Amino acid sequence: MKIACLSGKGGAGKTLTAVNLAAAAEKAVYIDCDVEEPNGRLFFRPDHVETETVCSLLPEFDAGACTGCRECVQFCRFHALMYVKDKPMVFSEVCHSCGGCSLVCPKKAITEKKKPIGILETGDSQTVRVVTGILNPGEASGVPVIREALKKAEGLTIIDCPPGSACSVMESVMDADFCILVAEPTAFGFHNFQMVFQLVSLLGKKCGVVINKQEAPWEPLERFCRDQGLPILARIPYDPQIAAMASDGRIVSREDPRLREMFSHILHTIGGSL
Amino acid sequence: MKIAVPLDENKKDVCIVLARTPYFLFRENGNDAIVPNPAAQAQGGAGIQAAQFLVDSQADALITVRCGQNAAQVFQAAGIKLYKSANKAAADDLAALEQGTLEELTQFHGGYHGIQ
């Protein structure tokens, strides 16, 4: 079973939720898909970390074989190719590595060359296998790193998504069986929560809500969940002690039996609803 | 010498964007031609597509308010000179270029990627 944790805004509590769900399970794989700023590893501090490189493919042109027919330039729907001064050129940050240009080239003048764009770190933290996708600084898209990271899913897998509701989030939740929407009970939090709810609804995902940092219920959020029939899986209180532990890089469900109980309960509820 | 200027909907003023400008004005040997920009509706990579159009049009110079890095790289490779627009009306910019009072464009933005 794959459970994805996502939220429209950063700092809502995706990583807190995802890390503690994985830690509260008997055995789990935790995959950090927030490849631009992965921080689940700061909590898990995994041992025996192994690293592998993730590459994306970029077209390379054989100037001798190219006849300047421009089939490749016309084919590229992302407009990543140009034809200037009698030769094709590629804009690597626009290229989506689809390989189409090399397929349409009638002279077989295009080959795809691997370009390293990030790494995957895999290690263990007690009962949790920790997989971290890390995008190299300056790269435009983390999607290839997310794709590779998700291949490590096995058994109960908790996916820690990037913030927002863009391509990288879509890629992260694509194969999820259940989505946990982590929301803050504020006007801003509610607005962003609606955006991710729209996304997961569009993808036909089962979902539930974890409200984080709650002092008092935020009525518009409560009403929205009631109207949409969205189950509220848990309410994490606004508690300075949780914040202090998190800022020390400690995993609350490994230290506080009540919180461990709360996260186990979420897993149990989701397992029962699938 | 063929000079290109991105042109607004009113077909008179310089358009402040380059990649998604509705028209281009081309002036060559005193003759003006207004041509729709094929990249105006592109979903992505509009700067590259518009640059390709200008390269294929065999323009020698471009007057523009701003230009992204990708397009600038293309113009440099193609040897198209870039000038910074200093007037509202395209005709005034063209006159200024002919008098040699337009400055070259040397600052390029990182691209807007659909952000306004």
Side-chain angles (χ1 to χ4, degrees), chain A residues 7-16 34 37 39 161-164 182-184 188-189 212-213:
Chain A
S7 72
K9 71 183 275 292
K14 287 179 297 299
T15 299
L16 177 81
D34 190 0
E37 43 197 353
N39 56 359
C161 295
V182 184
E184 281 174 4
F188 184 32
N212 188 22
K213 303 181 230 176

Side-chain angles (χ1 to χ4, degrees), chain B residues 31-91:
Chain B
N31 297 317
D32 287 354
I34 294 173
V35 185
N37 172 19
Q41 305 297 330
Q43 283 185 344
I48 298 168
Q49 206 187 352
Q52 179 79 70
F53 175 68
L54 292 171
V55 170
D56 293 345
S57 306
Q58 297 182 311
D60 301 295
L62 169 70
I63 302 172
T64 181
V65 177
R66 53 194 183 196
C67 176
Q69 273 162 2
N70 283 342
Q73 211 178 316
V74 172
F75 296 136
Q76 200 183 9
I80 297 178
K81 286 195 96 170
L82 300 183
Y83 293 93
K84 173 123 186 76
S85 169
N87 300 281
K88 189 164 181 276

Side-chain angles (χ1 to χ4, degrees), chain A residues 70 73 77-85 89 91 93-94, chain B residues 42-45 48-49 51-52 55-56 70 73-74 77-78:
Chain A
R70 292 192 183 211
V73 175
R77 61 172 293 188
F78 302 106
H79 307 300
L81 299 178
M82 285 251 348
Y83 192 78
V84 186
K85 292 269 175 192
M89 62 194 273
F91 288 86
E93 71 276 28
V94 185
Chain B
Q43 283 185 344
I48 298 168
Q49 206 187 352
Q52 179 79 70
V55 170
D56 293 345
N70 283 342
Q73 211 178 316
V74 172

Side-chain angles (χ1 to χ4, degrees), chain A residues 38 42 86 139 152 236:
Chain A
L42 302 179
D86 300 327
E139 288 297 335
K152 306 273 184 189
I236 304 173

Side-chain angles (χ1 to χ4, degrees), chain A residues 245-258:
Chain A
M245 285 167 84
S247 67
D248 278 345
R250 285 150 69 190
I251 297 174
V252 291
S253 65
R254 281 183 180 166
E255 299 189 27
D256 184 330
R258 280 175 316 151

Side-chain angles (χ1 to χ4, degrees), chain A:
Chain A
M1 179 169 65
K2 294 175 192 162
I3 301 172
C5 296
L6 60 166
S7 72
K9 71 183 275 292
K14 287 179 297 299
T15 299
L16 177 81
T17 305
V19 164
N20 282 286
L21 281 175
E26 269 176 47
K27 192 170 182 286
V29 176
Y30 163 89
I31 302 181
D32 202 337
C33 287
D34 190 0
V35 299
E36 288 182 43
E37 43 197 353
N39 56 359
R41 58 185 170 161
L42 302 179
F43 295 92
F44 283 120
R45 301 168 211 216
D47 301 317
H48 317 295
V49 174
E50 286 178 17
T51 312
E52 58 196 279
T53 305
V54 181
C55 294
S56 71
L57 296 172
L58 268 187
E60 209 173 46
F61 307 95
D62 176 350
C66 176
T67 57
C69 71
R70 292 192 183 211
E71 289 279 341
C72 55
V73 175
Q74 267 141 32
F75 176 82
C76 184
R77 61 172 293 188
F78 302 106
H79 307 300
L81 299 178
M82 285 251 348
Y83 192 78
V84 186
K85 292 269 175 192
D86 300 327
K87 59 178 190 214
M89 62 194 273
V90 61
F91 288 86
S92 56
E93 71 276 28
V94 185
C95 177
H96 282 55
S97 306
C98 74
C101 51
S102 66
L103 290 176
V104 300
C105 177
K107 297 293 174 194
K108 305 266 173 272
I110 303 176
T111 46
E112 290 189 273
K113 197 185 154 204
K114 280 186 175 177
K115 177 195 171 213
I117 60 152
I119 58 168
L120 283 190
E121 279 182 6
T122 309
D124 294 304
S125 169
Q126 297 181 21
T127 53
V128 182
R129 158 67 43 111
V130 180
V131 180
T132 306
I134 306 164
L135 183 68
N136 290 345
E139 288 297 335
S141 168
V143 168
V145 179
I146 293 171
R147 250 178 228 164
E148 282 308 307
L150 289 172
K151 287 184 187 164
K152 306 273 184 189
E154 201 186 324
L156 175 63
T157 301
I158 311 291
I159 302 165
D160 195 353
C161 295
S165 51
C167 298
S168 56
V169 178
M170 232 190 303
E171 198 66 40
S172 305
V173 302
M174 212 46 116
D175 289 330
D177 303 299
F178 194 95
C179 291
I180 296 179
L181 312 179
V182 184
E184 281 174 4
T186 61
F188 184 32
F190 177 52
H191 173 264
N192 291 293
F193 159 80
Q194 284 175 290
M195 288 171 71
V196 277
F197 175 68
Q198 213 180 339
L199 173 70
V200 295
S201 306
L202 201 68
L203 297 173
K205 298 293 177 190
K206 284 192 176 173
C207 53
V209 184
V210 166
I211 300 176
N212 188 22
K213 303 181 230 176
Q214 176 169 308
E215 283 177 304
W218 175 259
E219 193 42 40
L221 174 61
E222 302 288 326
R223 200 183 315 126
F224 186 87
C225 292
R226 270 199 305 276
D227 292 349
Q228 299 287 338
L230 266 173
I232 293 175
L233 302 165
R235 295 170 192 274
I236 304 173
Y238 188 76
D239 179 350
Q241 215 175 340
I242 296 176
M245 285 167 84
S247 67
D248 278 345
R250 285 150 69 190
I251 297 174
V252 291
S253 65
R254 281 183 180 166
E255 299 189 27
D256 184 330
R258 280 175 316 151
L259 290 166
R260 185 179 183 86
E261 179 55 36
M262 188 186 75
F263 285 103
S264 304
H265 181 72
I266 297 175
L267 287 173
H268 187 77
T269 311
I270 295 173
S273 79
L274 286 173

